[in-house]
Amino acid sequence: MTFNSLSFLVFLPLVYLLFRLTPANLRWAVLLIASWIFYCFVSPLYGVLLLFTTALDYKIALVIDKTEELKRKKIWLVFSIFLNLAV
């Protein structure tokens, strides 16, 4: 799905409508799922890659949250950024 396709012209208003109808505390989930669908529409491989990087970043965020030393938090953050850029 490209940004100038008919499918995107249908997809975007649907996502926006769903976003506006969703309670504020769950809107992040609507956008996350919509982005997964958007990427999967292009290629299922891209969708799998996006799911992998999302899970990896979530896990690293949990580790950063539990880490108490600021220097180690920064190391984990740089590691996460590096992995995302490597992908």
Side-chain angles (χ1 to χ4, degrees):
M1 169 181 343
T2 59
F3 293 110
N4 59 353
S5 67
L6 181 61
S7 55
F8 185 74
L9 190 63
V10 173
F11 178 74
L12 183 62
L14 287 175
V15 169
Y16 181 73
L17 180 65
L18 186 60
F19 177 81
R20 298 299 292 173
L21 294 174
T22 305
N25 62 334
L26 295 175
R27 288 181 175 173
W28 65 270
V30 170
L31 294 178
L32 181 64
I33 293 168
S35 67
W36 286 340
I37 292 170
F38 180 78
Y39 275 87
C40 285
F41 198 90
V42 173
S43 169
L45 179 61
Y46 292 156
V48 170
L49 189 60
L50 186 62
L51 286 171
F52 171 74
T53 58
T54 302
L56 186 65
D57 285 334
Y58 180 73
K59 179 63 178 164
I60 291 174
L62 292 177
V63 170
I64 290 172
D65 186 49
K66 289 181 182 178
T67 303
E68 299 207 8
E69 189 179 333
L70 183 62
K71 185 176 181 179
R72 288 187 182 222
K73 287 184 179 209
K74 288 181 181 180
I75 291 171
W76 278 109
L77 177 63
V78 169
F79 180 65
S80 175
I81 292 170
F82 172 77
L83 288 177
N84 281 285
L85 291 175
V87 169

